[in-house]
Amino acid sequence: MPFDPPPSLPRKVAPLSFVSPIADLLVKDSASLAAAVAKLDAGAATTLFVVDGEDRLQGRIGVAEIEAALARGQGPQSRVGAAMIPDAGGLSADLPETELAARAKDGLVALVDGERRPVGKRDATTARRIPIAEPTLGGKELEYVTECVTTNWISSQGAFVRRFEADFAKLLGVPHAVAVSNGTVALHLALAAYGIGPGDEVIVPDLTFAASINAVIYTGATPVLVDVAADTWNLDPAALSEAITPRTKAIMPVHLYGQSAEMDPILALARKHGLVVVEDAAEAVGAKHKGVPCGAIGDCGTFSFFSNKLITTGEGGMVVFKDDAIAARARKLRDHGMNPQKRYWHDEVGFNYRLTNLQAAIGCAQLEQLDGFLARKMDIAAHYSKRFAGVAEIETPAVLPGFDNSYWVYSVILDCAGLGLTRDEVMARLSKAGVDTRPLFFCMHEMPPYKAYAGNRAFPTASRLSENGLSLPSSVSITQAQLDHVADALTGLVRTRRLARALVS
C-alpha cells in the first residue's frame, strides 16, 4: 500500500505494493545505544538501519551489535555509529520486483533512492502478513466440486457425503461417521443422540472454545466447568473427579490445539460412574493418544472442518460413534427426526444438520492429503520448538510419552511478568513485525454467559494459560522464510526486552 514518509525523508518511493514503510526502523548514527534499544523494543524490530545527519544510509544495528558493544565496555549513551555494522548496503528502489525479491530473500534490506536515502524496506515476508492458519487446497478439490456441479448433486444428497463419512470412519477405525454442517452442531448432535437434556450435568474444561459449553446449554443440560492440567492444557483428571455428582451424565474432554487430553484416568472415572465420554476433537484431526486417534477413544468424538482447521470443507463437521443404535439415532436427528423408512414421517423433533455434497467433495480431497498435512505440521512444530529451546520466557507445548500432538496451531505460554509486557502487548508488537497471532481462548468462567457454571471451583491453571498464551502462524503452506521471520520476531522481542530492562536497571 502507498505510504507517506515523514518530512525528513524524500518522497520518491518505489511503485510497488510490497514495499513497506521504513521510518520506524531508522536511527541516527549520533543516537545513543539506549535510544536504539528503545526503538527496537517499541517496534518489535530486530534490526535498525543507521542514517547520518542527512538521512543517508550508513549501516545497520541490532540487539547482537548492541550487546557486543556493551560487552566491550561501551556505555548505554555511546553512539550508535560506533557499534553499527557499516556499509550494510541497500537496494535501489527502482530495481525490478523480481530482482528485489531475489536480493531480499535472505533477510531484511533497505530500499534507497539515488542519494542512498531509505524510502522503504523489503524482505521475504513483506508482501503480506503471516496468517495464523489458512486452508491448503492443492489436491482434487476443484475436480470433485466440478463433478458435483456437472452432475447436479450439490445438496446433502450425493455420493461424496457417503464417501467422506466412510473414509473418515476408516481413518479413525470406528464403525460410524456422521457428517454434519459444522463442528458446533456435531457436539450438540452427539449429546442429543445420547438423550442428554434438562436435569443432566456435563463436565467441560474451563479452557476451550465456547462451542463446547454452548452445545451443552443447547440441550438444556447444565455444563460444569473444571480446571485444566498444566502439561496438556486439557481437562485435569483430578479436578474432574471432584466435580462428578449424581446428576453427571457425560464428560467432554477437549483436545486443545491438537494435544490429546490425558484420556486413561478420564475413561476410568467415566466407567466407574457410568458416564458417556464425548470427545471434542474439533482441533485434533490426526492427533493420537497411545496409538488411538483422538475422537475414537471415548464413546463418540466430534470434529470441525472450518476453514482454518487441518482439513477443511469451508464449514462442516463430523461425529463418530461406536454404538450402532446411537449412530442410527444421530442420523435420524440430523435429518429433522424423520423416520428413514417412512419419508416425511417424523418420529421426534430433530434438526437440519446435514452437510452438502459440495462440502463433502472438498473433504474427500482434503483427506487424501492428510498425511502430508500432518508431516508439515510436525516440521513446523519442530522448527519452533528448536528456535525457542532454552528461552526461559517462552514455554513450548509439552512433549509427553504416548501423546501424538497434531499441532493444529503451535501455541506458547509467555512469561509476561519476566518480559514486563502483557500478552496483548506482545501481540501488538508482533503485529508491527507482520506476524499474525491469536490469544489462547478466554476462560469460560470469566465470560458473562458462563460465570454461573463455575460454582465455587478455582481455575488457577486455566487462568494462567489463558492470560499468557499465544498462538503462532502454523499454516501448512507457511514458508521456511516466514517461519524464520516469526521465530526471529518473537526471540528478538525477548532479547530486546531483556536488554531494555537491563539498561533501565
Side-chain angles (χ1 to χ4, degrees), residues 208-257:
T208 184
F209 182 60
S212 306
I213 191 171
N214 285 344
V216 178
I217 296 171
Y218 297 160
T219 68
T222 300
V224 175
L225 295 171
V226 299
D227 204 7
V228 297
D231 52 358
T232 65
W233 307 353
N234 291 315
L235 195 63
D236 182 357
L240 166 64
S241 177
E242 296 173 0
I244 295 173
T245 75
R247 296 175 58 192
T248 306
K249 292 296 185 294
I251 303 169
M252 185 186 290
V254 180
H255 306 301
L256 203 64
Y257 301 115

Side-chain angles (χ1 to χ4, degrees), residues 263-284:
M263 292 301 296
D264 288 347
I266 293 173
L267 290 174
L269 283 167
R271 301 303 173 242
K272 177 181 177 180
H273 296 277
L275 307 177
V276 175
V277 176
V278 178
E279 296 177 71
D280 182 344
E283 302 167 2

Side-chain angles (χ1 to χ4, degrees), residues 126-187:
T126 301
R128 67 185 183 104
R129 293 177 59 78
I130 305 173
I132 282 287
E134 61 182 357
T136 298
L137 304 171
K140 295 183 177 180
E141 290 87 356
L142 183 59
E143 176 185 336
Y144 292 166
V145 169
T146 301
E147 181 179 333
C148 295
V149 173
T150 56
T151 59
N152 285 337
W153 289 102
I154 62 172
S155 71
S156 57
Q157 300 296 316
F160 281 112
V161 175
R162 296 187 294 273
R163 174 178 164 183
F164 189 34
E165 291 177 333
D167 289 350
F168 202 82
K170 182 179 180 181
L171 172 71
L172 267 73
V174 295
H176 304 285
V178 180
V180 293
S181 52
N182 60 64
T184 305
V185 304
L187 283 166

Side-chain angles (χ1 to χ4, degrees), residues 135-143 312 362 365-366 368-369 373 476-477:
T136 298
L137 304 171
K140 295 183 177 180
E141 290 87 356
L142 183 59
E143 176 185 336
T312 184
I362 296 173
Q366 290 275 289
E368 292 172 352
Q369 303 166 79
F373 290 170
V476 168
S477 58

Side-chain angles (χ1 to χ4, degrees), residues 257-325:
Y257 301 115
Q259 174 75 288
S260 171
E262 191 176 356
M263 292 301 296
D264 288 347
I266 293 173
L267 290 174
L269 283 167
R271 301 303 173 242
K272 177 181 177 180
H273 296 277
L275 307 177
V276 175
V277 176
V278 178
E279 296 177 71
D280 182 344
E283 302 167 2
V285 172
K288 294 182 179 180
H289 179 270
K290 297 186 177 179
V292 181
C294 289
I297 305 167
D299 297 290
C300 69
T302 68
F303 297 85
S304 169
F305 305 130
F306 183 62
S307 61
N308 63 7
K309 297 300 190 292
L310 183 60
I311 63 170
T312 184
T313 58
E315 281 279 9
M318 191 78 75
V319 193
V320 298
F321 295 97
K322 297 176 180 177
D323 185 281
D324 297 347

Side-chain angles (χ1 to χ4, degrees), residues 20 28 106 118 122 140 150 183-184 191 242 290-291 313 315 333 361 369 374 381 415 418 436 452:
S20 297
K28 297 286 189 181
D106 294 324
R122 182 72 160 90
K140 295 183 177 180
T150 56
T184 305
L191 295 169
E242 296 173 0
K290 297 186 177 179
T313 58
E315 281 279 9
L333 289 173
Q369 303 166 79
L374 286 169
D415 176 9
D436 193 17

